Amino acid sequence: MMDAVTRSGESTGVEKGWSPRLILSLVSMVLLLEMLAVSYSMVSMAIADISAHFHTTQGAWLMTSMLLVGAVTGPLAGKLADMYGKRKLLLGCAAVAAVGALLSAVASSYAVLIVGRSLTGLLIPCVFLSYSLIRDIFPRKTVALAVSVATSGMGLVAIPAPFLTGWFLDNYGWRSIFWFFAIGLVVFGAMIFVSTEESAVRLRSKVDVLGAVLLGAGIAGVLVALSFGPTWGWQNGSTLAYLFGGSVLMVAWLVSAGFVSAPLIDLAVLRRRPVWLTALVSGLCYACSALFAMLLPMLAMTPAVMGLGYGFGISAKGFAIFQSPMAAMTMVGGVIVGALVGRGIRPRPLLAGGMALISAAFVLCGQMHDNKALLMAFAGLCGTGMGLAMSAVPNLLIEAVPPQLQASTASIVAVSQSVVASILPVIVFTVLNNSYIAPFPMEMTHGHTFYTDNGFRIAFLMGAVAAGVAALFALLLPRKIEQVRVPRTQVAGDDDQQAAVAFAH
């Protein structure tokens, strides 16, 4: 049985449109999410220096630990946000992430650094916490645009990030990057604190501790297997143990959720076609984005003298010229979604259209990747599709799920984004490594792996197929979505009227 609903306090969405406070609130959340986006690129550039400093070969954990903690804690954070307030959880996650960045900055050992990076993973739930909060507190006619900007705005800082990272590393060392994160998170968290109200929407429920443990451990097991399978080997005992164990735990969570009175995620909501299809398409969208973000720099940074039919030999800093159109057009796509949804256009065709554009970008890159200008144009096309699709997803969830279940349901969509985004690149690079490695002697490549031109064609074709399938799935979404209703039993007095306001908003 679904949980009862309470709503306390005055309605916060009383304004008719944009105001300076709302603009500051949105800017604050976008800047906070930018810290998540830029974290990947900046730390990836610093891995070599960090590994050399601590004499470790486990540099991959700098990225994996953050992803693991973000995915594992997401469902619990979503449930707590629905119960106690989305602003509280957003600020709490940002505060823990700031502590993690500070710990990384002063780390005396690699183990301490990894602990700090793990805590920084609490930034990942901030994505769905932000747009869930916007849905509750922003005036109705501003929600679509605000949610779209918050979602698609992530990554704009990725344009100057390589230059900023290079400046930090050259002048102040790798620790300065984590000081930058710590200071930024504190400042942007404070901006949210002073500009953003708390949601009055509440879900009267209990914390499903068993469900949180089973689901969290299951996600962790699967992600560890997917992250380290290429290194350990897919037939390695550790890989199989993590994959099998994680899968068993996730199945156990599904079973337990059917018997618990207040499960971590309401399965009745999760089984609805608009919800599970949105989660699946969203996962494929992020998977295609991750694959494109891996393939494009490999194409551009490969030296032309290798004679592979592709490559311009540009540096990591020089690659910013390819990132710029993609990041800018992602933002443009998000604004388009916000404007159109605000005028009554359904997110469904925008999601399908976005995935179709991503598929087209993959096809074009696979066929014509020997020209800088064309690759930049194709990157912009992919960015437009990403902006449309990524911004359509939260708007679809707002249509399908009541505010009392927004954060917990969105957390499962975030899990899908993490898991599916880990699977597709693994499949693609398994094919590349098995059949399309360029036959160069080791002394010529200095340990680097190069792929044949035909290998890149196949890789981009696989990405195009995945995006095309996602577009078809998006078209299977219902043309008209009826939002699930949460029972208002055990609600007394004024709360009953206030709960009705929540549904109307």
Side-chain angles (χ1 to χ4, degrees), residues 309-312 322 368-378:
Y310 63 87
F312 312 111
F322 289 89
M368 297 175 283
H369 47 249
D370 57 353
N371 182 284
K372 285 185 180 181
L374 285 177
L375 270 182
M376 291 170 61
F378 300 155

Side-chain angles (χ1 to χ4, degrees), residues 168-334:
F168 277 139
L169 293 176
D170 293 341
N171 293 281
Y172 303 103
W174 60 267
R175 292 183 188 275
S176 61
I177 292 175
F178 296 106
W179 280 112
F180 170 74
F181 292 150
I183 295 170
L185 289 172
V186 170
V187 171
F188 301 145
M191 289 171 61
I192 292 174
F193 181 81
V194 300
S195 66
T196 308
E197 299 178 19
E198 177 61 280
S199 167
V201 179
R202 294 289 186 275
L203 181 72
R204 180 175 293 171
S205 183
K206 298 178 181 178
V207 177
D208 178 13
V209 177
L210 176 62
V213 172
L214 290 175
L215 182 57
I219 294 169
V222 171
L223 285 178
V224 167
L226 293 173
S227 299
F228 293 98
T231 303
W232 295 344
W234 292 108
Q235 296 181 339
N236 180 274
S238 296
T239 303
L240 295 175
Y242 276 109
L243 187 59
F244 178 75
S247 300
V248 168
L249 288 171
M250 292 180 75
V251 171
W253 164 71
L254 282 172
V255 173
S256 72
F259 294 96
V260 177
S261 59
L264 189 67
I265 306 295
D266 195 309
L267 295 185
V269 175
L270 191 59
R271 283 193 294 263
R272 298 185 71 236
R273 183 156 59 108
V275 176
W276 69 262
L277 268 178
T278 298
L280 177 59
V281 176
S282 179
L284 286 169
C285 173
Y286 276 74
C288 292
S289 301
L291 179 61
F292 196 88
M294 293 178 181
L295 294 176
L296 188 61
M298 292 174 65
L299 273 177
M301 296 170 70
T302 297
V305 295
M306 302 298 291
L308 292 170
Y310 63 87
F312 312 111
I314 63 174
S315 65
K317 293 181 182 178
F319 183 67
I321 193 175
F322 289 89
Q323 288 180 315
S324 300
M326 187 160 58
M329 293 310 296
T330 298
M331 185 70 175
V332 170

Side-chain angles (χ1 to χ4, degrees), residues 64-77:
T64 304
S65 60
M66 182 178 180
L67 174 63
L68 277 174
V69 171
V72 167
T73 58
L76 181 59

Side-chain angles (χ1 to χ4, degrees), residues 92-103 119-120 123 178 181-183 185-186:
C93 287
V96 174
V99 171
L102 177 61
L103 192 61
L119 294 177
T120 310
L123 271 179
F178 296 106
F181 292 150
I183 295 170
L185 289 172
V186 170

Side-chain angles (χ1 to χ4, degrees), residues 433-482:
N433 290 326
N434 286 338
S435 305
Y436 297 100
I437 294 180
F440 292 127
M442 185 67 70
E443 59 271 16
M444 182 178 176
T445 63
H446 303 289
H448 295 285
T449 300
F450 294 94
Y451 300 104
T452 64
D453 186 65
N454 195 44
F456 272 102
R457 294 182 192 277
I458 296 298
F460 278 111
L461 178 61
M462 294 175 70
V465 171
V469 169
L472 292 177
F473 283 152
L475 292 176
L476 293 177
L477 285 163
R479 292 181 179 274
K480 183 177 181 181
I481 297 178
E482 183 179 349

